[in-house]
Amino acid sequence: MTPLSVLAHLAGFVAPALGVGMFLWAGLRIRRKSRPGIGSAMQLSLLCVAGIGVLLVGLVYFGRDGKIATYAALVLVQGTLAWWLRGR
């Protein structure tokens, strides 16, 4: 496997976490109401890191990538984190 194909596989692995994280972060920015003391870049970083962590746990637990249960957990964790970041 070439380094370029490894990079493509890694990008495909983290793409769902980054996509959902950026979508939720955009919703936080539109709402313009968030927890004080946490900047915009930190919010995006927290959402993406949490999503990648969920994908890694799903990969280890199920032994493969792409399980619907992993994606459901991804949405649940990132959605809950975005709700918390919003300040409720």
Side-chain angles (χ1 to χ4, degrees):
M1 188 180 277
T2 66
L4 188 58
S5 65
V6 169
L7 189 61
H9 278 82
L10 286 174
F13 178 72
V14 300
L18 298 179
V20 173
M22 291 176 78
F23 179 76
L24 290 169
W25 176 76
L28 288 172
R29 296 287 46 113
I30 290 170
R31 181 76 178 182
R32 290 190 183 158
K33 182 180 181 186
S34 61
R35 192 168 290 280
I38 299 178
S40 180
M42 182 60 110
Q43 289 176 348
L44 180 59
S45 299
L46 287 171
L47 287 167
C48 291
V49 168
I52 292 170
V54 168
L55 291 178
L56 286 172
V57 168
L59 178 65
V60 169
Y61 183 76
F62 292 115
R64 56 173 269 207
D65 179 32
K67 296 288 263 183
I68 295 297
T70 303
Y71 294 136
L74 172 74
V75 171
L76 181 69
V77 167
Q78 283 185 317
T80 304
L81 181 58
W83 172 77
W84 181 79
L85 288 171
R86 192 178 129 200
R88 282 204 160 170

